[in-house]
Amino acid sequence: MRRAAARIACITGCVALVATVGLVLVAGSGGVAAEPLAPSVKPTATLSVGQSIVLKNTTPLVGDQEIYPPSACRGKAASLDESVAPLTCKAYRIVLNLDPDPRADNTVFIEADFNQTQLPSLPLVALGLNPPPVNGLDVYVWDQEDHWLGENAPGTLDPVTGPGDPNDEPTGAASFNEPERGGFTAKQRIYDITVQADAGVNQGYDLHLTFSNEIFTAPHEVLDQFGNTAAPSDTSSPEPTFTPPADTSSEAPTIALPEASVTPDQDIAGIGLGTTQEFNPNGFALPPRTRDVAATAKPPSGVALVLGLVAVPLATAAVGVFALRRRRQALLT
Amino acid sequence: MLIALIVLPSALNLPQTNPSTTLEYAPVPPQDDTTPPPIGNFDQFGLGQSSSINTGGAEGGDQGTQQSDPGKNRSTKRCVQTPKGPKQTEDPLAPPCVPDYPNCNQNGGATYQGVTGNEIRIILYEDSGIVDTGTSRGDESRPANKYYDLDQPEAQDEHIYARLTRGWAKYFEDRYQLYCRHAHFWVYYGSRSDDGPETKRADAADNYQKIQPFAVISDSLASNDAYLEAMTKRGVLNFGAFLGRQRSFYQQYPKLVWGYSPTLEDQAQEYADFFCKQIKNASDTTTFAGGDLVGKKRKYGLIYSTDKLHPELQKLKDLVMTNIKQQCPIDQANIPNATWDTCCYADNNDPQTDQTYGRTQMAKFSDPRQAGGPVTTIIWPGGMESKFSDAAAQMNYFPEWVQLGDAETDGFVSTQYQNARAFGGHAVVVTYQTKKVKFEEEPCFLAYKDADPSAPDQDIRSRACDLYERFRQLFTGIQVAGPKLGPTSIDKGYHAIPKIASDDPGTPACFYNTDDYSCVKDGVAMWWDANATAPNSQNAGCWRMVQNAKRYLYGTFPQQEFTTTKSPNDPCNGYGGHALTFLSARNP
């Protein structure tokens, strides 16, 4: 479990505490090593880049608020207080085959899967907060026998106040979370990892460790049919200054062009369009607005008017008179 | 003669031979009075990437989607008709409509990691260790290290961001062209916001191992860069607001990191352009100072934060001063500085902070015995702080405050904590923020309601809209990329967006220059009215937007004295600010 502020074990009283804190700060800052990891411990696992392992534990662990060093978890208590450590934590020694590639970030990812119980707490729920769970675990990574990663990070020092060591990054695996998830960038070959019960009784866990150099090849990408792989050029760049061409029309020689015979274009479709365009017949499928109009013709000429208005009527009348006289004469005879 | 009289009139008539009918196409006027929508950057956008796309023939509102009609093709989209042509949504920044993509078997299939022929895998990343207060379900504590697969039915205790992402996923899948692919979302609540980079890297490794996403929308507050870097190493695309980032931040990960907010360089350029054209070069004497400083020859001072947790503010200060030096050098023996440390709190009453810093430094600024007299005009390149204005008002010292908007200093919520006497009429801010109206009228609010009409208003207002720009940017990228989805096609699609100004106060100009991966390219100037009330606010104090919130592309502010551009009737901006933090309760 996840202390709001990490605790530093007070083993031999307050004077010793101050001395310990000072020593830890030096270690965390990359100065004089406090106490290196015990060299005689048999490695639990040796990891190469790309490897993953799962460390299982089915032994119940009893929760404790103190953070015990790896040696104490292994049963080598340095004090009476530490004698209970094997009941609350497990320690693992890992050896890393670091990738020497300068691009490599030799990183170990940690995940501890387990079951914890979220107890209801009405006052906290009323505040919108989750109460601390029980049966949880914390994972600590030790680069020294008496220093775990993140111990001196800003904001985790208790009772020390101050900026801490910004280079002492916490692994993130000591929290209220289930699963616990974290990681660290390896700066040495050997680390100890402790898994410790926090509150209640943990009934077992799976500890997943994955070692990565964080070097990846670019994923395969299917490009468009033109196979472009480069970013497009920026079309926003200012266009070149436009310089109008000089007017040389006065210098143009007079050209006498021979007349050519022109064949009239009988095909009106396509007028005004480019060579790759054509009228969309659907565009003319709009509902027609119709109206009736009369077709016009040429007006009659003056001769036609005279003939039509004068000559023809007079001739018709004359013919009629003539026909009527002949008919009357025939009747009389 | 009688016959002649009868025949004559008919002879003058036109002959009635062969009456015929001819077709005539009459123009049909529009049948509504709808105002044409504002121009967006996509209005002249051509889909250069997707030659096989049918871009014509869209009709609005009746197409439906696969969600509502399983019998339809997933690619069928509901576009809207605008005078600029059919568009994907009502948003001016929506791309041109691609109503249908019938060739689903030709979309390229698995064109990139996290992409298959029918799915795009996307993660929304949220920090844990935060309680989201005031939601429709009260206060919701975020889970940690937890995945929500949004293709699964909603869990009873699903956290608010997972619920809201369901709405956005539905909206953009309904409305944007995804070329027969389904946007499969996971919402992941990772480590705490204050956890270190190792933890964020572990989150990224786990996300990649479990989901192998195409893209991530990050809403992380802290250590975000570690997560982002770990994801980009794995080739995953990242979308986010990414406030306060330099151009080089994006250029480290070309084609993989895309942001909405402008870069620090763009912000500094816009500020310096305004400062030089409308303040310094426009008048040698003060024009909006108060008290004894009215009409005085301008003397400039500088306020900035030295907080190590906000290196972006020191960088911004450097960029602003460099731009000013280049564009309109300040002819002073020295420029007095006032600094503060713990930054970006609306009201810093931290008992561990020396509360005298405001008074001490304003006394120095206002001292008439210093060479050149008191500071009349304060250059303030971002960072929220209210002690200086309080101290200035107590001294009856009313200089001109020229602030740079950083998404907090340009919001009415935090600025309402500035001293009203000191800031009222004497403060101006240059910002990339757009004009916001009432929440219920905002495009993001209407968009979310379109997807989920039953969504509680308060959840949309307070949280969903904060994510809208990121979702829009992601889905715009997916659409303009064309069927062959990948970072290269997204890059080509984005960079084909026309680079034109926005004429809509509510819409930024959004396009991408060469080696540029951030969206917003314009800004506005606003002045503080301590007595007016902004939309979405119940308290006095609002930023009024000059010239009806007219937006200017970077470097194009007009050469015009600032106060001649303002009017008492300038509209108030309803933008409150992206986040607001109090270090302690405000003193009575």
Side-chain angles (χ1 to χ4, degrees):
Chain A
M1 165 162 164
R2 1 315 135 150
R3 290 113 189 126
R7 297 168 184 226
I8 295 175
C10 183
I11 301 172
T12 56
C14 297
V15 175
L17 172 63
V18 173
T20 304
V21 168
L23 199 58
V24 167
L25 281 173
V26 171
S29 302
V32 178
E35 186 176 343
L37 295 172
S40 58
V41 175
K42 183 181 177 184
T44 309
T46 299
L47 290 174
S48 297
V49 169
Q51 277 193 307
S52 296
I53 57 170
V54 182
L55 303 172
K56 293 178 178 292
N57 176 57
T58 56
T59 306
L61 295 175
V62 181
D64 193 336
Q65 293 296 302
E66 298 299 334
I67 300 173
Y68 294 104
S71 58
C73 296
R74 293 186 177 106
K76 296 179 180 175
S79 67
L80 187 60
D81 289 345
E82 289 187 355
S83 61
V84 300
L87 300 175
T88 194
C89 61
K90 294 280 185 185
Y92 305 94
R93 167 69 53 90
I94 61 167
V95 178
L96 304 173
N97 292 325
L98 301 177
D99 184 347
D101 189 323
R103 299 172 300 153
D105 288 325
N106 290 287
T107 306
V108 177
F109 294 111
I110 304 165
E111 182 171 312
D113 291 330
F114 54 93
N115 292 321
Q116 67 181 10
T117 307
Q118 186 73 50
L119 297 178
S121 170
L122 290 178
L124 286 175
V125 170
L127 293 172
L129 300 173
N130 287 331
V134 295
N135 310 331
L137 288 176
D138 286 336
V139 181
Y140 296 93
V141 179
W142 302 75
D143 59 344
Q144 306 289 345
E145 179 63 26
D146 54 359
H147 176 259
W148 42 273
L149 299 182
E151 186 174 2
N152 301 324
T156 63
L157 296 175
D158 181 17
V160 177
T161 58
D165 180 1
N167 296 317
D168 191 21
E169 298 285 1
T171 64
S175 68
F176 289 115
N177 299 340
E178 176 200 356
E180 289 288 5
R181 186 171 295 141
F184 65 96
T185 304
K187 296 171 184 170
Q188 60 192 44
R189 283 194 74 224
I190 299 175
Y191 288 89
D192 276 349
I193 295 177
T194 60
V195 181
Q196 181 169 335
D198 176 52
V201 178
N202 180 273
Q203 298 295 335
Y205 57 83
D206 288 352
L207 178 65
H208 302 257
L209 301 175
T210 302
F211 185 37
S212 166
N213 61 3
E214 294 294 273
I215 298 175
F216 303 91
T217 55
H220 174 67
E221 183 177 6
V222 175
L223 301 173
D224 62 26
Q225 58 182 324
F226 302 108
N228 294 332
T229 55
S233 58
D234 180 12
T235 56
S236 70
S237 55
E239 294 182 357
T241 306
F242 175 70
T243 306
D247 182 4
T248 58
S249 58
S250 59
E251 304 167 10
T254 304
I255 301 174
L257 295 175
E259 289 188 1
S261 60
V262 177
T263 304
D265 184 0
Q266 302 299 323
D267 186 4
I268 60 172
I271 286 177
L273 298 179
T275 55
T276 60
Q277 298 166 304
E278 61 182 8
F279 283 122
N280 179 0
N282 295 331
F284 295 98
L286 296 173
R289 303 300 170 96
T290 62
R291 69 180 185 188
D292 294 336
V293 294
T296 60
K298 289 182 180 179
S301 65
V303 175
L305 281 174
V306 171
L307 288 174
L309 295 178
V310 180
V312 173
L314 289 177
T316 303
V319 171
V321 169
F322 176 76
L324 289 173
R325 285 182 176 175
R326 287 286 303 267
R327 183 172 178 80
R328 189 180 69 174
Q329 196 170 22
L331 290 173
L332 291 175
T333 58
Chain B
M1 196 62 202
L2 180 63
I3 294 172
L5 289 174
I6 294 171
V7 172
L8 188 60
S10 61
L12 292 175
N13 283 342
L14 293 174
Q16 300 292 313
T17 55
N18 299 325
S20 63
T21 299
T22 55
L23 291 177
E24 179 181 73
Y25 288 100
V28 180
Q31 298 185 0
D32 58 47
D33 297 325
T34 306
T35 304
I39 292 176
N41 286 87
F42 287 90
D43 287 338
Q44 298 173 22
F45 183 58
L47 287 177
Q49 293 305 304
S50 306
S51 57
S52 60
I53 298 170
N54 173 16
T55 57
E59 297 294 339
D62 60 353
Q63 294 292 321
T65 66
Q66 189 183 22
Q67 279 75 10
S68 58
D69 183 357
K72 282 194 172 183
N73 190 299
R74 171 172 278 158
S75 71
T76 304
K77 302 300 169 187
R78 177 163 56 94
C79 293
V80 291
Q81 188 67 261
T82 78
K84 298 291 182 183
K87 301 188 73 167
Q88 218 65 46
T89 72
E90 297 79 359
D91 190 323
L93 284 184
C97 176
V98 182
D100 195 20
Y101 180 71
N103 308 315
C104 287
N105 59 351
Q106 296 176 19
N107 69 1
T111 54
Y112 194 68
Q113 67 180 11
V115 180
T116 67
N118 54 22
E119 183 180 84
I120 306 167
R121 301 160 77 86
I122 304 165
I123 292 177
L124 173 71
Y125 181 92
E126 295 282 350
D127 290 321
S128 65
I130 295 173
V131 178
D132 292 288
T133 60
T135 76
S136 59
R137 298 184 182 179
D139 296 340
E140 298 185 52
S141 184
R142 298 187 188 183
N145 295 351
K146 184 175 177 64
Y147 291 89
Y148 291 100
D149 180 350
L150 300 194
D151 272 12
Q152 301 300 316
E154 182 178 329
Q156 195 167 13
D157 62 344
E158 196 162 282
H159 191 265
I160 183 168
Y161 282 103
R163 302 196 305 270
L164 292 175
T165 302
R166 287 181 185 275
W168 281 135
K170 179 178 186 302
Y171 176 76
F172 284 100
E173 187 157 327
D174 281 355
R175 305 298 298 273
Y176 275 56
Q177 183 55 261
L178 309 186
Y179 309 102
C180 308
R181 295 185 176 101
H182 157 62
H184 187 170
F185 268 91
W186 283 262
V187 175
Y188 176 69
Y189 292 85
S191 48
R192 294 169 56 90
S193 61
D194 55 355
D195 277 335
E198 297 285 10
T199 318
K200 295 298 179 188
R201 277 192 278 271
D203 285 344
D206 194 70
N207 287 175
Y208 187 78
Q209 188 216 338
K210 289 192 168 69
I211 309 296
Q212 199 177 46
F214 167 73
V216 168
I217 297 176
S218 176
D219 197 28
S220 178
L221 298 175
S223 297
N224 186 46
D225 288 6
Y227 177 85
L228 178 145
E229 182 181 20
M231 276 304 198
T232 54
K233 277 185 175 180
R234 291 162 170 81
V236 178
L237 283 81
N238 290 259
F239 294 81
F242 299 132
L243 278 166
R245 307 307 175 99
Q246 287 181 257
R247 200 167 290 148
S248 58
F249 164 78
Y250 297 97
Q251 292 170 345
Q252 292 176 81
Y253 321 105
K255 300 189 282 187
L256 291 177
V257 181
W258 300 90
Y260 173 78
S261 309
T263 61
L264 292 180
E265 288 89 344
D266 285 343
Q267 287 182 278
Q269 181 194 351
E270 182 77 334
Y271 178 90
D273 183 54
F274 171 84
F275 175 83
C276 290
K277 289 177 178 172
Q278 301 206 356
I279 303 289
K280 184 174 181 302
N281 291 349
S283 173
D284 289 334
T285 57
T286 61
T287 56
F288 54 101
D292 297 337
L293 302 180
V294 173
K296 294 284 187 185
K297 184 177 187 304
R298 275 182 170 141
K299 178 183 177 179
Y300 297 96
L302 173 66
I303 287 180
Y304 65 95
S305 173
T306 56
D307 190 341
K308 289 187 173 59
L309 293 178
H310 290 279
E312 79 280 4
L313 291 176
Q314 284 105 62
K315 186 64 189 175
L316 198 50
K317 180 261 296 183
D318 292 342
L319 288 168
V320 162
M321 297 312 287
T322 301
N323 274 280
I324 289 175
K325 189 175 180 181
Q326 291 171 348
Q327 296 174 33
C328 57
I330 294 173
D331 184 21
Q332 284 179 204
N334 65 73
I335 299 175
N337 289 343
T339 64
W340 83 101
D341 186 17
T342 308
C343 182
C344 308
Y345 295 100
D347 198 28
N348 184 359
N349 285 327
D350 178 12
Q352 293 187 10
T353 303
D354 179 6
Q355 296 294 305
T356 63
Y357 66 92
R359 290 192 294 275
T360 305
Q361 301 192 81
M362 284 303 98
K364 184 181 73 175
F365 268 35
S366 62
D367 186 354
R369 297 166 296 180
Q370 63 184 306
V375 169
T376 64
T377 308
I378 295 174
I379 299 167
W380 189 332
M384 181 60 206
E385 159 57 39
S386 60
K387 292 295 178 208
F388 292 122
S389 63
D390 278 341
Q394 288 169 10
M395 299 171 190
N396 287 321
Y397 167 57
F398 300 106
E400 300 168 329
W401 311 80
V402 187
Q403 287 198 305
L404 184 150
D406 60 3
E408 192 173 3
T409 56
D410 39 15
F412 66 74
V413 177
S414 56
T415 312
Q416 285 171 353
Y417 281 84
Q418 297 286 5
N419 187 281
R421 290 176 59 223
F423 257 48
H426 308 307
V428 58
V429 67
V430 184
T431 178
Y432 67 92
Q433 302 299 337
T434 56
K435 181 185 176 186
K436 301 292 185 190
V437 294
K438 289 180 180 177
F439 283 124
E440 291 73 14
E441 300 169 7
E442 279 291 320
C444 72
F445 186 93
L446 299 172
Y448 200 90
K449 280 290 188 182
D450 180 72
D452 183 3
S454 64
D457 290 3
Q458 66 194 97
D459 291 349
I460 305 173
R461 279 198 301 262
S462 60
R463 288 179 175 82
C465 279
D466 285 347
L467 296 173
Y468 173 67
E469 287 150 353
R470 279 166 256 190
F471 277 90
R472 181 182 61 192
Q473 190 177 29
L474 166 63
F475 282 96
T476 298
I478 291 172
Q479 173 162 332
V480 301
K484 307 294 189 291
L485 180 60
T488 301
S489 55
I490 280 190
D491 182 74
K492 292 167 71 176
Y494 275 142
H495 281 92
I497 296 172
K499 298 168 178 58
I500 58 174
S502 167
D503 63 359
D504 173 30
T507 305
C510 174
F511 53 82
Y512 304 87
N513 294 314
T514 304
D515 295 331
D516 168 43
Y517 305 93
S518 62
C519 163
V520 178
K521 295 292 182 294
D522 61 1
V524 294
M526 309 188 290
W527 60 277
W528 186 249
D529 184 338
N531 300 315
T533 303
N536 311 315
S537 175
Q538 296 179 332
N539 300 319
C542 88
W543 285 112
R544 287 191 182 274
M545 310 185 81
V546 300
Q547 296 178 306
N548 200 25
K550 178 174 172 53
R551 301 185 69 79
Y552 291 98
L553 289 174
Y554 294 151
T556 65
F557 271 113
Q559 187 88 44
Q560 182 180 3
E561 200 284 311
F562 166 66
T563 57
T564 65
T565 68
K566 57 187 270 196
S567 150
N569 299 321
D570 288 335
C572 280
N573 195 354
Y575 174 73
H578 83 287
L580 184 62
T581 312
F582 301 87
L583 203 51
S584 64
R586 183 172 174 79
N587 285 337

